[in-house]
Amino acid sequence: EADIYQTPRYLVIGTGKKITLECSQTMGHDKMYWYQQDPGMELHLIHYSYGVNSTEKGDLSSESTVSRIRTEHFPLTLESARPSHTSQYLCASSESRTGDTYEQYFGPGTRLTVT
Amino acid sequence: KNQVEQSPQSLIILEGKNCTLQCNYTVSPFSNLRWYKQDTGRGPVSLTIMTFSENTKSNGRYTATLDADTKQSSLHITASQLSDSASYICVVSDRGSTLGRLYFGRGTQLTVWP
């Protein structure tokens, strides 16, 4: 079982609210990622980080923002939630060792519903 | 365009039976191929990772194969159990980027009936 945690697991919120999805890992990994996944669809990378004070946008355009002030913490924020943001959000982390077969560990996900 | 296609989209089998899931990819340059298991409402969990030089890898009742020439992979599940009911996702990583970009398939939804 990977030591990566996400809270809340489920969130139902009204349009226009500001929300923060929390992600923490205790493995000391430098690389962290946020993915978005709709039912029956593939995961899409929306944000990633190489380490503290490093954040980059992923392949899928997202109105969310992220921060990386501590190695173990990678929160995702939506300033004004909309129904189009309804989705599952998965956080992941991996080592920074050389080579290609680094393992990527996923958290349990946050199921967000915006009404 | 880098893509990962999986088949079938869904599969129902009886407990104790074997099954094989397929994955075709166009990701280039190829680095490695992974199979993940994702239970409903949970994050994916890695089953196997194979590099270019590996053509078979096992993890218990799961055996993955890779043909890098034809860009195909399969995941064989032996003696299925009810707990095998999940989505199985094929993921391909490219070479050459620092991030090691992962390309995800949409998964095969496997249901095992008693």
Side-chain angles (χ1 to χ4, degrees), chain A residues 38-77:
Chain A
D38 293 321
M41 302 297 286
E42 62 268 47
L43 277 73
H44 290 285
L45 182 67
I46 53 175
H47 297 285
Y48 60 95
S49 168
Y50 288 116
V52 172
N53 294 325
S54 154
T55 60
E56 302 286 345
K57 290 190 178 294
D59 303 320
L60 183 66
S61 175
S62 174
E63 294 167 345
S64 58
T65 59
V66 293
S67 62
R68 190 88 183 275
I69 298 173
R70 304 197 316 265
T71 298
E72 63 271 21
H73 196 213
F74 192 40
L76 180 146
T77 298

Side-chain angles (χ1 to χ4, degrees), chain B residues 28-99:
Chain B
S28 182
F30 173 84
S31 174
N32 59 75
L33 185 144
R34 309 146 186 252
W35 282 94
Y36 282 88
K37 178 186 179 186
Q38 185 176 23
D39 293 314
T40 301
R42 308 289 298 180
V45 175
S46 179
L47 295 175
T48 64
I49 300 177
M50 289 184 292
T51 61
F52 183 89
S53 59
E54 297 173 297
N55 53 28
T56 301
K57 202 157 206 179
S58 292
N59 178 0
R61 294 179 297 102
Y62 302 103
T63 299
T65 65
L66 172 64
D67 186 334
D69 291 331
T70 61
K71 298 186 177 181
Q72 295 180 326
S73 175
S74 65
L75 180 69
H76 186 74
I77 304 175
T78 304
S80 60
Q81 300 175 357
L82 299 179
S83 59
D84 292 333
S85 294
S87 178
Y88 290 84
I89 304 173
C90 177
V91 184
V92 181
S93 177
D94 68 357
R95 184 191 301 277
S97 65
T98 305
L99 181 65

